[in-house]
Amino acid sequence: MNNNEKNRKNKNRKKKRLGGRPPKYTKAEEMANKINKYFESCFTAQRNRNGEIIIDENGNILKTQTRPFTISGLADALNMSRQSLLNYSQKEEFFDTITRAKRKCEVYAEESLFDKSTVNGAKFSLANNFEGWKDKQEIEHTGNLKLEDVL
């Protein structure tokens, strides 16, 4: 095989690697719309005893949150894996959109710490999905003991 053939093969390999799957989202606005729909889907309209939707004095439908805000739920609503969602947050155009959505999930989880029935799940979510949340104990040792004193 001569050098020209090798160069052609290398160019073809590079083209294949650079191509890959096209991105699912090319505009942050499109992603933001789906994110908003996800958060809305976590609420259900309240109904009276007759099954009619309850509307307040301003004409707004009263809703109750029936599903928690989660990172995995958010990723699923965007039709991608949790890791793909995190990868999108590395792209400048999507950074603010995803950060805002993650913050909403983080606030929900943090507020769940005050409910006895959800505290453990909230602690797990915060420790595994958000920076700065760790479930650890720090023990400070004081004294003048040296290793040779112990041995």
Side-chain angles (χ1 to χ4, degrees):
M1 182 179 299
N2 64 34
N3 283 341
N4 288 339
E5 289 173 350
K6 286 181 183 178
N7 288 339
R8 239 183 282 131
K9 279 192 172 187
N10 285 338
K11 283 183 181 178
N12 287 338
R13 282 189 197 133
K14 287 179 183 176
K15 284 181 185 176
K16 287 179 185 177
R17 278 187 237 145
L18 292 176
R21 184 185 303 175
K24 194 172 292 275
Y25 297 95
T26 56
K27 297 184 190 253
E29 185 179 335
E30 178 187 3
M31 181 182 273
N33 289 336
K34 288 210 174 184
I35 288 171
N36 290 336
K37 285 181 183 176
Y38 163 69
F39 288 123
E40 289 172 18
S41 75
C42 293
F43 291 86
T44 304
Q46 291 182 12
R47 296 183 179 272
N48 63 20
R49 290 181 185 181
N50 297 328
E52 301 162 332
I53 292 175
I54 301 172
I55 298 175
D56 69 11
E57 60 276 354
N58 297 319
N60 299 315
I61 296 173
L62 295 180
K63 296 182 178 183
T64 302
Q65 188 164 0
T66 52
R67 289 182 25 218
F69 299 153
T70 65
I71 299 297
S72 296
L74 181 61
D76 188 53
L78 294 169
N79 197 25
M80 63 176 63
S81 69
R82 182 179 165 278
Q83 187 59 54
S84 292
L85 175 66
L86 299 176
N87 292 345
Y88 262 93
S89 69
Q90 302 301 312
K91 298 177 182 182
E92 186 176 336
E93 182 179 353
F94 297 96
F95 179 80
D96 289 337
T97 302
I98 293 173
T99 300
R100 201 173 311 113
K102 283 182 64 180
R103 186 174 56 241
K104 196 167 187 171
C105 294
E106 182 177 14
V107 167
Y108 178 87
E110 183 179 359
E111 289 174 352
S112 297
L113 291 171
F114 297 96
D115 182 344
K116 287 180 184 178
S117 65
T118 59
V119 69
N120 288 328
K123 284 170 57 176
F124 177 83
S125 179
L126 288 166
N128 289 288
N129 289 312
F130 305 101
E131 291 185 37
W133 292 92
K134 300 289 178 237
D135 192 14
K136 66 179 181 179
Q137 293 180 345
E138 291 186 22
I139 301 171
E140 190 175 315
H141 296 281
T142 59
N144 295 326
L145 276 181
K146 296 179 184 171
L147 183 59
E148 46 278 356
D149 294 338
V150 175
L151 298 174

